[in-house]
């Protein structure tokens, strides 16, 4: 059972490593497929698009949403998934990425990997001859952002022209939101303290993407100014996985960057508040806002499942 192709878009065999690698039309197609698969699942219609296929899932970092949603996604698509912890496979004992890539390509139909170094994911993709899906690196988190775009589209009806303000660390989430937002013609503002701005190379590429697609990327160091008129406010933890030792210093450096009610009051009346989760309540976001009427964080988490089913069905 193949997925219907629209507009000659065929993503079979493609890696999903960065949203920068895809055109706006390809991303819209992924969102259409995600919406379609979500409808099918909600109405109880079987959609076994990946019968007989196996996804390997390599993790060298913790995960709740990514691990569970990918595993359930493969199950609902009629395929199978294997959880491969670095602790248990030879990669953790020094077997090289090129050897791992070539061996796993003989058994699997796709690999999802969550790890530290983005370079490692690129190397895996270079040596594997099956699609590689980036389940988060220190640089990017594209699966999260595809789910976020799906959520924004559902809540707002469109993406083009919306103002999305990310308040916090210029990290993997900020980077992928810049790429995803730019491709969709959004106005993306990243408000971070000095020293925590996004990677300049990512900024440069995202600005090119924005220019091409009618979007805009802006950096700002004053979160109050940034959120003025926002349609979407997004935040993430101040210390990401691997930065635990910097936690105390970061709490000091990010004072004034908490997404709270005072900040929401400066945005559009119908602003939605997003967070990839896990959240540190009363640090980057107040409990009042996380649990309040503007928050869409659990719909956002659910959409990881639907967005990833689209990625899997399209590339595998
Ligand atoms: N948002 C996200 O990727 O969550 P996990 O770390 O739980 O996978
Ligand atoms: N920036 C966070 C995202 C977690 C989903 C991290 O990398 O830990």
């Amino acid at each position: 059972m193949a997925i219907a192709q629209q507009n000659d878009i065929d993503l079979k065999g493609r890696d999903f490593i960065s949203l920068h690698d895809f055109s706006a039309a390809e991303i819209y197609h992924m969102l259409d497929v995600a919406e379609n698969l979500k409808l099918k699942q909600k109405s109880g219609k079987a959609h076994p698009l990946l019968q007989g296929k196996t996804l390997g899932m390599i993790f060298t970092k913790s995960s709740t949403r990514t691990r569970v949603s990918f595993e359930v996604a493969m199950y609902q698509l009629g395929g199978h998934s294997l959880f491969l912890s670095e602790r248990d496979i030879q990669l953790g004992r020094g077997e090289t990425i090129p050897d791992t890539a070539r061996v796993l390509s003989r058994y699997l139909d796709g690999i999802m990997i969550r790890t530290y170094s983005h370079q490692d994911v690129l190397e895996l993709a270079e040596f594997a001859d099956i699609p590689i899906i980036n389940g988060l690196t220190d640089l990017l988190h594209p699966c999260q952002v595809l789910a976020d775009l799906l959520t924004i589209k559902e809540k707002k009806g469109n993406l083009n022209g919306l103002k999305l303000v990310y308040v916090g660390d210029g990290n993997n989430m900020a980077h992928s939101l810049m790429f995803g937002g730019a491709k969709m013609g959004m106005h993306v503002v990243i408000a971070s303290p000095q020293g925590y701005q996004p990677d300049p190379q990512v900024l440069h590429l995202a600005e090119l993407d924005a220019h091409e697609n009618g979007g805009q990327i802006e950096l700002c160091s004053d979160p109050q100014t940034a959120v003025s008129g926002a349609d979407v406010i997004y935040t993430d933890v101040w210390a990401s996985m691997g930065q635990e030792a910097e936690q105390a210093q970061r709490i000091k450096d990010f004072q004034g960057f908490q997404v709270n009610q005072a900040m929401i009051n400066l945005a559009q009346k119908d602003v939605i508040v997003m967070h990839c989760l896990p959240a540190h309540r009363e640090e980057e976001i107040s409990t009042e806002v996380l649990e309040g009427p503007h928050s869409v964080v659990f719909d956002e988490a659910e959409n990881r499942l639907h967005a990833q089913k689209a990625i899997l069905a399209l590339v595998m």
Side-chain angles (χ1 to χ4, degrees), residues 136 141 171-172 236-237 240-241 276-277:
L136 179 146
H141 197 2
N171 61 13
N172 43 13
D236 182 20
V237 291
S240 284
M241 289 181 274
C276 55
L277 305 177

Side-chain angles (χ1 to χ4, degrees), residues 18-24 27 175-186 201-217:
S18 169
L19 288 169
H20 175 68
D21 303 335
F22 294 91
S23 67
I27 298 172
H175 293 157
S176 282
L177 285 166
M178 286 158 69
F179 283 143
K183 291 272 181 183
M184 298 291 94
M186 296 170 80
Q201 216 183 329
V202 171
L203 175 64
H204 173 67
L205 294 175
E207 281 173 340
L208 294 177
D209 288 345
H211 183 72
E212 224 175 274
N213 295 287
Q216 193 189 339
I217 305 283

Side-chain angles (χ1 to χ4, degrees), residues 170-302:
N171 61 13
N172 43 13
M173 277 313 312
H175 293 157
S176 282
L177 285 166
M178 286 158 69
F179 283 143
K183 291 272 181 183
M184 298 291 94
M186 296 170 80
H187 176 192
V188 180
V189 185
I190 307 291
S192 329
Q194 291 299 331
Y196 294 97
Q197 278 105 350
D199 179 281
Q201 216 183 329
V202 171
L203 175 64
H204 173 67
L205 294 175
E207 281 173 340
L208 294 177
D209 288 345
H211 183 72
E212 224 175 274
N213 295 287
Q216 193 189 339
I217 305 283
E218 227 185 308
L219 299 192
C220 182
S221 54
D222 174 23
Q224 269 77 28
T225 309
V227 296
S228 160
D231 299 296
V232 181
I233 296 179
Y234 202 113
T235 191
D236 182 20
V237 291
W238 291 338
S240 284
M241 289 181 274
Q243 297 172 333
E244 288 77 8
E246 298 171 26
Q247 176 84 14
Q249 183 60 47
R250 283 170 172 263
I251 288 177
K252 287 189 200 138
D253 295 343
F254 281 85
Q255 283 317 298
F257 283 77
Q258 183 187 82
V259 173
N260 53 30
Q261 193 55 48
M263 207 177 271
I264 301 300
N265 293 342
L266 301 169
Q268 296 284 3
K269 293 253 168 310
D270 62 350
V271 66
I272 57 169
V273 175
M274 305 182 76
H275 191 310
C276 55
L277 305 177
H280 287 186
R281 284 171 167 76
E282 304 307 335
E283 287 185 22
E284 75 275 4
I285 189 163
S286 67
T287 304
E288 184 188 16
V289 168
L290 190 76
E291 303 288 354
H294 295 279
S295 171
V296 299
V297 299
F298 297 107
D299 292 337
E300 183 186 356
E302 177 188 329

